[in-house]
Amino acid sequence: MCHVRTITDDGCNPKAPPPPPRPSLRGAGAPPGTLTAVPQADQTSPESFPGPPRPARVTPVPLAELARRLDADAAEAPEALLSGGPADTAYATGITHDSRAVRPGDIYAALPGARLHGADFVAQAQSLGAVAVLTDPGGTERAEATGLPVLAVPDPRGRMGELAATVYGVPGDALLQIGITGTSGKTTTAYLVDGGLRRAAEKDGALTGLIGTVESRIGDERIKSERTTPEATDLQALFAVMRERGVRAVSMEVSSHALVLGRVDGCVFDIAVFNNLSPEHLDFHPDMEDYFQAKRQLFTRARSRAGVVNFDDEYGFRLISESEVPVTTFSAEGHPDADWRAENVEVGPLGSTFTAVGPGGQSVPASAPLAGPFNVANALAALTALVAAGLDPYTAADGIGAVPGVPGRLERVDAGQDYLAVVDYAHKPDAVESVLYAIRKVTEGQVHAVLGCGGDRDPHKRTAMGAALARLSDTAVLTSDNPRSEDPLAILATMLGGAAEVPTHERGTVLVEEDRAEAIKAAVARADPGDTVLVLGKGHEQGQDIAGVIRPFDDNDVLRTAIRERAAVHEQHGSTTFPAAETPHRTDIQNR
């Protein structure tokens, strides 16, 4: 097993024997996860095949060897796991869980789904060149009907990552892997870590990788992300492409879904980072304890080699004692017992500066290139992780401070207006409050904020989000986010109920506008010089899901258009204020 490597290492000997099988950490009774045949948007890869990129060169792996990997007890008789067609001459060069993304030489992982079974699509997989099927007993008969060899295991999703790592030659062992988990700040921290890695890599001409909610990056190539953490088959292929193209280090977001559903099976992170934990995804996790235990999986010896943990967070403090791997702590609040702490913090409208004080009193000038005290915590987390990985702290701090911004995270929209306009991804109560507090500190005038709640997601946070917006904004415009299959007005009613619970003397003007574009216009219409217009919830997203149809929608573009349209009206009327008749009219439950 490789030890923690620096970015300039060449990784493990590629001829070394593969590591022993890693156990699935999903646990008994874990949900089956997503359907095998899931939608996959075509990526930026120049190849004609759909789905994420694949490595150009793969050494074929005999199916019999893969069978041995799946069950060590079958080492003397691997055919015990194989059924269906002949397997003695079959070799695999890839693996996918999506029947439409099958390439010649692939193993097709036919997984049980909530409504359908992946085995329903084995004929399609076979027609595209699948050489074998991985499935469970429930899919075995349908898979065998194709005549293909079948690898049958009780929990195929739990073995898929291990199998993918083996097929692609355990590509993660050639990469310095830094995984970031937590409720808020994963994306920003991943970008800041990547900034430090890039600065360290400059002198050697090495490349870095990034995997997360907004996008994946292989060097400077950008690939649209479908989810925070890719499925295990796609993730291992992506690692293999990175290795093939000269990437030495990767920063990666790791969601609780990814840990529970086995998406990071086959990975052992060199550094695991824990930012924070607050109520979220309680439609997936039954309670906060289950949510915490999912995150804690990343800090087991099967998942990581070392940890970096937020000393200031309640759950982070608990994790310090419960982690199975050595932990380095950080404190943006400056706690003296933390290994790294922030001192001399100066929060500005565009970012913050601070001094990172480490073991032995080591002092490193640092900066957070995004506004808000929570981004001081994200920057300190990134710095601590990079130092734990072996980077020089001054180089790491320099790279973090040079990050130009993170898409959809406190992203400024400038169309020549005399007020601040910002788009942010905040879509949970704590994040909404943190962003609003940060914006208030840099706003001379009033704050006009727009927010919606997503449908078919945790409904418990809607009341709290409506209340937070009403309490901390001068104008709170409640609108739609991605209503999906739910009635947008029903979602808004719940948010409005939360706003109404805020005492009248503590809340601002509350407007209700179902149409998100019109809601943004309503906020812009109220902005005066020195104010801030803040559009929350969707951030980097490029579409809006309404009744199963995803329509193009970019908060950044819509906000910029609204600003320009208002400016044009001002110019037409020769005034700096809207004529009264053109002021948008909406439901107003209280004027502060």
Side-chain angles (χ1 to χ4, degrees), residues 23 31 49 138 157-158 183 194 225 322 325 345 366 411 419 454 467 469 507 537 546:
F49 293 101
R157 175 176 286 279
T183 303
D194 182 65
S225 292
E322 295 187 17
V325 297
V345 178
E411 185 175 4
Y419 50 89
L469 202 72
R507 73 178 179 233
I546 303 175

Side-chain angles (χ1 to χ4, degrees), residues 125-203:
Q126 183 181 34
S127 71
L128 293 174
V131 296
V133 179
L134 170 71
T135 192
D136 67 346
T140 300
E141 184 176 349
R142 279 167 287 179
E144 288 179 342
T146 63
L148 292 173
V150 177
L151 295 163
V153 293
D155 180 18
R157 175 176 286 279
R159 311 306 297 275
M160 192 167 65
E162 169 197 337
L163 204 63
T166 303
V167 168
Y168 295 118
V170 198
D173 280 356
L175 307 171
L176 169 67
Q177 300 176 57
I178 300 179
I180 301 105
T181 198
T183 303
S184 299
K186 292 190 298 296
T187 298
T188 297
T189 304
Y191 273 84
L192 297 179
V193 168
D194 182 65
L197 293 174
R198 281 174 174 251
R199 184 55 51 91
E202 287 175 354
K203 62 180 181 293

Side-chain angles (χ1 to χ4, degrees), residues 87-112:
D88 54 346
T89 59
Y91 290 78
T93 54
I95 179 171
T96 181
H97 62 284
D98 184 349
S99 62
R100 295 162 299 177
V102 168
R103 305 185 186 190
D106 275 1
I107 296 172
Y108 169 52
L111 309 178

